[in-house]
Amino acid sequence: MDSTTATTRAGDSRREALQRRLDALIRENRFTIAVVFPLVGAVTLVASAEGLLPPALSFDPLLILFGTLVMRSPLVVGLLPRIGRRALACLGLLVAYAYAVEFVGVRTGWPYGHFEYGVDLGPMVAGEVPLGLPVFFVPLVLNAYLLTLLTLRGRAASTPLRLGVALAAVLAVDLVLDPGAVALGFWAYEPPGPYYGVPASNYAGWLLSGAVAVVLVDLAFDRAALLDRVRDCEFVLDDLVSFVLLWGGVNALYGNPIPVALAVGFGAALARTDRYDVQFLRTGLPAALDR
């Protein structure tokens, strides 16, 4: 064995050991990450919007970003073994595209409609777009795509069906997200639209940006290898559980029935994946009770 081969194998062994530790960390804290964080987040965000928290804690951007990163962690750790050069290139293009279309949207109102941010979401790029935009946007597309693969099963081999269903799932995600975000004051459209303050132009914009995003995600991964990982990694969709609880909860507290119904629909689709059962609940029980 030459030195190059030995070095490569040693590096692979270290990566595998790190992946096992990360998997174990997420697995042992699934309930806290996927259920406790979003429920606390929903209550905290609504309390901030209603002026029930001290100004120092209300919509604290670091807390928002920290909570989002924690809820994203199962998705990131779950996909990590399938992130190669191709995936990095495609996801890098998706990040660049997300920034570009958001800059255009803020400055011109195209393609989403005229809107302004009303809450500090952390550092801003050029004072206009949140630096953390990829953390907020890209995982939504990944979650929709992974759920599509699992629910379509063998039919996911059809490219038009796979991409079409994934795009529909991305649009459904925003039909839940945007009304809640507008209710909280994260951003506002001018003039307000008929769907809980959101204009139809926003969804035309999401149709465009979602199509680009879904195609890039589809190109990023070897689908067979990705599906194997998704099937074997029981926590990879926990971030979507967090999304359902957080934004479904916010919409419920503001009395938005259609977004709540869509969030329930996502919950039903997740339940059909057979990974949210008694074992999932046990990860949230104190050791003394789980005997």
Side-chain angles (χ1 to χ4, degrees):
M1 182 187 301
D2 59 35
S3 59
T4 301
T5 302
T7 301
T8 300
R9 290 186 176 179
D12 291 343
S13 178
R14 286 193 294 270
R15 283 192 292 271
E16 290 172 2
L18 175 60
Q19 185 67 51
R20 286 194 296 270
R21 288 196 292 270
L22 290 173
D23 285 354
L25 179 65
I26 298 298
R27 192 170 286 117
E28 292 165 5
N29 295 280
R30 286 185 70 198
F31 190 88
T32 300
I33 295 171
V35 177
V36 175
F37 261 80
L39 290 179
V40 171
V43 172
T44 302
L45 289 174
V46 172
S48 296
E50 299 301 316
L52 301 177
L53 290 182
L57 296 177
S58 182
F59 289 129
D60 183 275
L62 292 180
L63 286 178
I64 292 173
L65 185 58
F66 172 74
T68 302
L69 288 171
V70 170
M71 289 185 287
R72 299 293 191 244
S73 60
L75 177 67
V76 173
V77 172
L79 290 181
L80 202 55
R82 297 295 178 261
I83 301 294
R85 292 181 180 177
R86 187 175 75 179
L88 285 174
C90 291
L91 295 177
L93 286 174
L94 179 53
V95 167
Y97 174 78
Y99 278 127
V101 77
E102 195 76 0
F103 270 112
V104 172
V106 169
R107 293 179 179 181
T108 70
W110 186 88
Y112 303 113
H114 289 281
F115 70 96
E116 291 184 355
Y117 287 102
V119 169
D120 183 1
L121 295 177
M124 304 290 279
V125 179
E128 294 181 292
V129 173
L131 180 63
L133 177 66
V135 176
F136 300 127
F137 172 69
V138 174
L140 301 179
V141 180
L142 289 168
N143 282 325
Y145 184 79
L146 297 181
L147 183 63
T148 296
L149 292 184
L150 279 178
T151 53
L152 287 180
R153 299 180 182 178
R155 292 175 294 169
S158 168
T159 299
L161 179 62
R162 181 177 70 252
L163 297 183
V165 172
L167 178 56
V170 169
L171 290 174
V173 161
D174 194 55
L175 285 165
V176 177
L177 170 63
D178 243 291
V182 168
L184 290 171
F186 272 23
W187 50 79
Y189 293 90
E190 184 57 45
Y195 182 69
Y196 305 103
V198 184
S201 59
N202 174 69
Y203 296 104
W206 268 74
L207 187 64
L208 171 63
S209 59
V212 173
V214 165
V215 169
L216 285 172
V217 168
D218 193 60
L219 293 172
F221 300 96
D222 178 295
R223 193 171 68 258
L226 177 62
L227 192 53
D228 284 343
R229 173 61 177 171
V230 171
R231 285 171 175 160
D232 293 340
C233 183
E234 73 276 17
F235 57 75
V236 71
L237 280 173
D238 284 4
D239 182 36
L240 187 54
V241 176
S242 297
F243 174 85
V244 168
L245 293 174
L246 174 60
W247 293 106
V250 167
N251 279 294
L253 290 171
Y254 278 105
N256 298 339
I258 297 177
V260 171
L262 290 169
V264 170
F266 275 113
L270 285 165
R272 292 186 61 191
T273 64
D274 298 326
R275 56 187 64 199
Y276 298 102
D277 51 17
V278 173
Q279 185 58 40
F280 172 67
L281 295 176
R282 281 178 177 169
T283 63
L285 293 174
L289 297 177
D290 189 23
R291 289 179 182 173

